Amino acid sequence: MSAPRLALVLGDQLSFDLPSLLALDPQCDAVLLAEVAAETDYVPHHPQKIALIFSAMRHFAEALRKRGWQVHYVKLDDAQNSGSLPGELQRWAAQLQAVEVHITECGEWRLEDELKRCGVPITWHADSRFICARGEFARWAEGRKQLRMEFFYREMRRKTGLLMNGDGTPVGGAWNFDAENRKALPKQIKAPMTARFPADGITQEVLALVAERFSHHYGSLASFDYPVTHAEAEALWQHFLDFALPAFGDYQDAMAVGEPFLFHARISAALNIGLLDVRRLCADVEAAYWRGHVPLNAAEGFIRQLLGWREYVRGIYWMHMPEYAERNAFGNTRPLPEFYWTGKTRMKCMSQAIGQTLEHAYAHHIQRLMVTGNFALLAGIEPSQVCDWYLAVYMDAFDWVELPNTLGMVMHADGGYLGSKPYCASGQYIKRMSNYCGDCAYKVTESVGEQACPFNALYWHFLMRHREQLTGNHRLGMIYRGLDKMTEAKQQGLWQRGEQLLARLDAGEAL
């Protein structure tokens, strides 16, 4: 029998139509999947994230075998496991005497660079699971001083025809209905029950392994209920279409005590590891709109997150790595506070967002951007530490999507390349979009004094200390004019309160 070709399939590439698989023949070629220590601890990944990927990999390997593939699967505790993906690729390529090695583009620059330097000749395949290829995005970006997601999104709408009229205009007469996606949750509105998936034998074995090996990582395994197969991911998706999508548009930015999911789909982790297909998701949402099942602001808002932001941040990532990861436009040096890892803070909004993150490895985009991210921005936390935290604690976080969102969108550390303004806000934003402030230890109506909401003084302190950099931003002009209208005594009081809060952070205190 002739030597086989070998496809290395990564833990975020669990798609049957993966280009590197389509290039091979299951009758005579082989597939390699490997659980390795190097991918579990370069940041302290949430135990549920490790469990999801390992369980999904093991289920995918079984599904491939049923489809006739020869699959070589390396478990984390296998005696011969080298501990890294380059090491396993070298070992198995030599052992099988593979005539060719095929890999689909990685999701992380770090790993792709390691594999390219491992000494094994590799045939690389573009990842067709994305709508916009790396090269296509680079061509779109060429010659532009600033890359705005809105204009990229319009190009993707034209390319796909999603929510488009026959004459090339957008359905509803506008490209973007974001202004209709910002309603706070009324008291009488209840979120649908969450779809849950009990652990089968494979998942139970993985959970036991993760509990034993990663008990030192922050985060609980107890509530693990994520889909680990294509069929389960499909069931989660259908649950969202039926019960949550109609209200998603109105309340996608809302936050509520004890409601970690509200009307969100929870499918980003399944999508990012290959259990769902982005084209299918967008088509399903568009079809739901045309049938009259969901309003336009829900359909457009959901499609914008996938077709717009998701594709956009991937394009920026691959255009500018690895230098992009080092950007720090504000020169922040403050270390990440310990309460980001424990949730032990008197700030109700932060304890809610971090607490549910530790419990579920999940928080929705506004909790990430306008609560934990907003605080990190206002407090001047060093960007790479914030990025590492997001990469570690969230189930759906892979470098290509997490890094631009965190470094660019959350921390504005790229100087405005990705976002046109810093997403900074006082406690009033959180009050408007949530019920977190009602029983908080701090008073959101106050800005100075020991009982004042820390977000308030830190917001103005941030604007004051970075005035030289930000005063020319047209989207902040009105805010700076408001600052200038304050009395000198009020400005001084806000500055002093901000200084006190930052000093407490520097002393290791949990606010």
Side-chain angles (χ1 to χ4, degrees):
M1 182 177 178
S2 60
R5 296 176 295 177
L6 177 66
L8 172 64
V9 174
L10 307 177
D12 60 349
Q13 297 181 341
L14 309 181
S15 304
F16 295 114
D17 57 355
L18 192 71
S20 48
L21 288 179
L22 296 179
L24 272 58
D25 183 352
Q27 300 300 316
C28 54
D29 297 324
V31 176
L32 171 64
L33 293 100
E35 304 166 2
V36 295
E39 298 304 310
T40 64
D41 57 14
Y42 62 94
V43 294
H45 293 290
H46 197 297
Q48 289 196 41
K49 182 180 184 181
I50 299 172
L52 169 74
I53 295 173
F54 283 3
S55 180
M57 287 173 64
R58 294 185 185 191
H59 282 92
F60 186 65
E62 289 301 309
L64 287 177
R65 290 187 180 105
K66 290 178 180 178
R67 291 179 174 225
W69 283 96
Q70 179 187 13
V71 179
H72 301 284
Y73 195 95
V74 183
K75 292 184 177 181
L76 187 69
D77 51 4
D78 284 353
Q80 300 301 313
N81 192 330
S82 65
S84 75
L85 287 169
E88 287 309 288
L89 182 62
Q90 292 168 338
R91 182 165 74 94
W92 283 94
Q95 185 170 314
L96 298 173
Q97 297 183 317
V99 294
E100 295 176 11
V101 170
H102 291 252
I103 303 178
T104 297
E105 294 169 338
C106 300
E108 303 204 355
W109 185 92
R110 167 196 59 83
L111 180 56
E112 189 164 302
D113 181 62
E114 289 175 2
L115 289 168
K116 285 179 176 178
R117 292 188 291 105
C118 77
V120 176
I122 296 170
T123 299
W124 288 93
H125 298 267
D127 196 340
S128 61
R129 299 176 302 165
F130 291 89
I131 294 170
C132 184
R134 294 182 190 177
E136 180 184 356
F137 186 90
R139 290 189 293 273
W140 172 80
E142 188 175 0
R144 298 174 187 260
K145 291 183 179 180
Q146 291 183 320
L147 305 185
R148 291 291 170 255
M149 189 281 290
E150 177 65 25
F151 301 115
F152 170 76
Y153 170 56
R154 294 179 187 183
E155 288 299 311
M156 292 298 99
R157 288 272 295 277
R158 294 186 185 101
K159 174 182 176 178
T160 61
L162 287 163
L163 294 177
M164 297 293 291
N165 296 314
D167 60 0
T169 60
V171 170
W175 293 100
N176 187 317
F177 291 89
D178 186 49
E180 299 179 25
N181 299 149
R182 303 171 185 169
K183 296 180 182 178
L185 189 72
K187 291 182 178 179
Q188 68 273 17
I189 298 293
K190 299 297 182 184
M193 293 288 291
T194 303
R196 301 186 182 279
F197 302 91
D200 63 6
I202 291 176
T203 300
Q204 289 174 5
E205 182 179 307
V206 167
L207 290 172
L209 170 70
V210 172
E212 179 183 353
R213 290 285 297 270
F214 302 101
S215 60
H216 59 292
H217 286 201
Y218 288 97
S220 170
L221 271 177
S223 65
F224 184 88
D225 63 354
Y226 283 89
V228 294
T229 67
H230 292 81
E232 289 180 345
E234 175 66 21
L236 179 61
W237 174 240
Q238 289 300 324
H239 183 273
F240 170 70
L241 286 175
D242 292 340
F243 300 109
L245 179 59
F248 171 80
D250 286 345
Y251 306 119
Q252 64 175 280
D253 286 5
M255 300 173 284
V257 172
E259 292 284 359
F261 310 124
L262 289 176
F263 296 94
H264 290 267
R266 279 212 311 162
I267 53 90
S268 54
L271 174 62
N272 288 350
I273 66 173
L275 301 183
L276 293 168
D277 175 73
V278 67
R279 294 173 179 82
R280 157 82 190 288
L281 302 186
C282 289
D284 284 352
V285 171
E286 182 188 43
Y289 167 72
W290 287 121
R291 317 195 281 277
H293 178 60
V294 301
L296 182 56
N297 73 320
E300 187 279 322
F302 191 88
I303 288 173
R304 183 173 2 110
Q305 289 193 6
L306 296 185
L307 190 64
W309 270 113
R310 186 173 185 267
E311 299 279 334
Y312 172 70
V313 298
R314 178 177 182 262
I316 285 179
Y317 178 86
W318 285 107
M319 273 186 61
H320 295 293
M321 283 297 286
E323 295 81 11
Y324 190 80
E326 304 303 318
R327 296 189 184 185
N328 186 358
F330 292 127
N332 294 346
T333 58
R334 185 165 285 108
L336 189 75
E338 176 66 16
F339 61 75
Y340 269 77
W341 296 105
T342 65
K344 294 178 180 179
T345 167
R346 295 168 65 220
M347 293 177 284
K348 185 74 170 184
C349 57
M350 291 287 282
S351 67
Q352 283 284 303
I354 296 171
Q356 73 173 56
T357 295
L358 294 173
E359 184 177 359
H360 301 291
Y362 174 86
H364 70 64
H365 66 287
I366 294 299
Q367 292 170 314
R368 301 189 203 192
L369 176 63
M370 300 308 299
V371 180
T372 54
N374 184 27
F375 186 88
L377 173 67
L378 300 182
I381 307 304
E382 204 277 315
S384 68
Q385 293 193 34
V386 183
C387 291
D388 283 351
W389 182 77
Y390 277 88
L391 185 61
V393 299
Y394 288 116
M395 183 80 75
D396 56 2
F398 294 88
D399 208 42
W400 64 266
V401 66
E402 177 277 323
L403 180 65
N405 267 310
T406 306
L407 188 139
M409 187 77 165
V410 169
M411 297 302 294
H412 204 70
D414 62 3
Y417 183 78
L418 186 149
S420 59
K421 66 177 283 291
Y423 278 83
C424 54
S426 71
Q428 290 302 317
Y429 174 88
I430 297 170
K431 178 186 177 184
R432 185 170 69 251
M433 296 308 302
S434 77
N435 61 3
Y436 291 157
C437 301
D439 60 348
C440 181
Y442 295 101
K443 296 179 180 179
V444 72
T445 55
E446 298 181 9
S447 296
V448 296
E450 280 301 307
Q451 298 305 309
C453 171
F455 278 89
N456 292 337
L458 288 176
Y459 170 69
W460 292 110
H461 192 281
F462 168 81
L463 291 170
M464 291 180 199
R465 72 179 185 266
H466 295 302
R467 180 161 195 157
E468 184 176 344
Q469 286 174 269
L470 297 176
T471 191
N473 187 303
H474 69 283
R475 296 186 66 186
L476 296 177
M478 184 180 297
I479 296 170
Y480 275 109
R481 287 192 292 273
L483 174 62
D484 291 339
K485 290 178 181 178
M486 293 181 187
T487 65
E488 185 175 345
K490 184 173 183 179
Q491 291 186 38
Q492 189 63 27
L494 290 168
W495 179 264
Q496 290 176 352
R497 168 67 170 162
E499 286 285 289
Q500 292 166 359
L501 291 166
L502 295 177
R504 288 171 59 185
L505 289 178
D506 292 339
E509 293 185 38
L511 299 183

